Amino acid sequence: MLLAQISDLHFRSEGRKLYEFIDINGENAKVINQLNALSERPDAVVISGDIVNCGSPQEYQVAQRVLQMLDYPMYVIPGNHDDKQHFLNAMRPLCPQLGDDPENIRYAVDDFPMRLLFIDTSLAGQAKGWLTPSTLGWLEQQLQDHSTRETAIFMHHPPLPLGSAHMDRIACENGHELLTLIERFPQLTRIFCGHTHRLIMTQHRQAIIATVPGTVHQVPYFYYDDTSYYNLEPASVVMH
């Protein structure tokens, strides 16, 4: 089992640049081409949120056109920059597991030795994340019903502070409720997130918790300075 995870693509509409100077659309297309060219091919590609930057239909048109070039099964979840309905309209043709309910985006994948659960942590109009009671209930039921299957969760916001002063302010506000599920269900061994634009790893009980870089622009790691910084490091893909 080999998965490629990318995150925080922040597509703009046709002809627009991110922050007016980053060719985010062109650089994301290069990442997709690089994935397709791998000689050791992953079984699937996971995209952990912030598909576009402003949530507009025009941005999703560009995202869909580029992402449909991926020559792999694709699993995707929204992030805080995504508009849930526009996200579903554009991404469901590429990831049918998403369903058709923008307020309950969650699904399970049983095709691999490790069970994969995908959940939405975005909160409309907010940068921070939030786990709804229905999402937490769904996770609990999934873990109860499949207690012998090692399980990983993919979500956008990390469920706990990771020491990034700028990003910790907008992590998943009630992520501690997910940590209690880690404590109750020993088969839950991985939590993979995006959002921080930085590879950061920690552990809670038996579970490794990690955030991955953005495809194009990153957030420098500062423990005390919470100013909003971005820089242009090489494009990043994390392999699991």
Side-chain angles (χ1 to χ4, degrees):
M1 174 184 176
L2 181 63
L3 299 177
Q5 183 184 355
I6 57 177
S7 195
D8 296 83
L9 287 73
H10 290 267
F11 277 101
R12 295 304 322 269
S13 54
E14 189 72 42
R16 292 292 303 274
K17 293 185 176 181
L18 183 67
Y19 309 134
E20 307 306 326
F21 75 96
I22 302 174
D23 181 14
I24 197 82
N25 298 342
E27 293 302 313
N28 279 326
K30 290 179 183 178
V31 173
I32 299 308
N33 287 333
Q34 290 166 355
L35 282 168
N36 286 340
L38 290 174
S39 58
E40 296 188 5
R41 295 172 57 79
D43 297 297
V45 173
V46 175
I47 308 178
S48 49
D50 281 359
I51 308 305
V52 304
N53 193 62
C54 301
S56 72
Q58 294 78 14
E59 290 178 331
Y60 283 108
Q61 288 174 5
V62 176
Q64 186 186 64
R65 186 170 70 244
V66 174
L67 293 178
Q68 70 186 3
M69 296 189 299
L70 262 176
D71 190 23
Y72 302 96
M74 185 183 91
Y75 305 115
V76 60
I77 49 175
N80 54 287
H81 281 259
D82 289 301
D83 175 280
K84 294 175 192 285
Q85 187 61 64
H86 296 327
F87 167 88
L88 276 187
N89 292 343
M91 294 295 107
R92 189 170 51 220
L94 307 180
C95 178
Q97 295 88 345
L98 284 167
D100 56 8
D101 183 355
E103 298 308 316
N104 292 285
I105 298 175
R106 51 182 181 250
Y107 56 96
V109 173
D110 289 303
D111 299 338
F112 305 108
M114 177 178 281
R115 194 160 195 263
L116 308 179
L117 303 179
F118 297 85
I119 60 172
D120 174 19
T121 59
S122 63
L123 189 62
Q126 300 284 332
K128 68 182 179 182
W130 182 261
L131 291 162
T132 65
S134 60
T135 294
L136 288 165
W138 181 84
L139 280 174
E140 182 177 27
Q141 193 65 54
Q142 291 290 321
L143 293 165
Q144 285 178 345
D145 291 348
H146 301 269
S147 59
T148 61
R149 290 283 306 278
E150 187 175 6
T151 300
I153 292 174
F154 285 89
M155 54 196 285
H156 183 67
H157 298 80
L160 75 175
L162 292 170
S164 174
H166 170 46
M167 302 306 293
D168 280 351
R169 295 176 301 166
I170 52 173
C172 186
E173 189 171 273
N174 63 337
H176 60 277
E177 298 193 51
L178 179 56
L179 301 184
T180 64
L181 293 179
I182 293 173
E183 295 165 5
R184 290 176 53 200
F185 296 101
Q187 79 270 26
L188 180 52
T189 61
R190 302 286 189 275
I191 310 287
F192 294 129
C193 313
H195 193 52
T196 66
H197 289 252
R198 175 68 44 191
L199 179 62
I200 310 175
M201 303 182 71
T202 188
Q203 187 160 348
H204 183 80
R205 299 291 181 90
Q206 77 282 356
I208 294 171
I209 301 172
T211 62
V212 305
T215 50
V216 178
H217 63 298
Q218 315 306 341
V219 175
Y221 187 91
F222 291 105
Y223 192 76
Y224 297 110
D225 185 354
D226 64 1
T227 308
S228 177
Y229 296 110
Y230 294 96
N231 63 18
L232 294 177
E233 299 175 20
S236 297
V237 174
V238 172
M239 308 299 288
H240 302 294

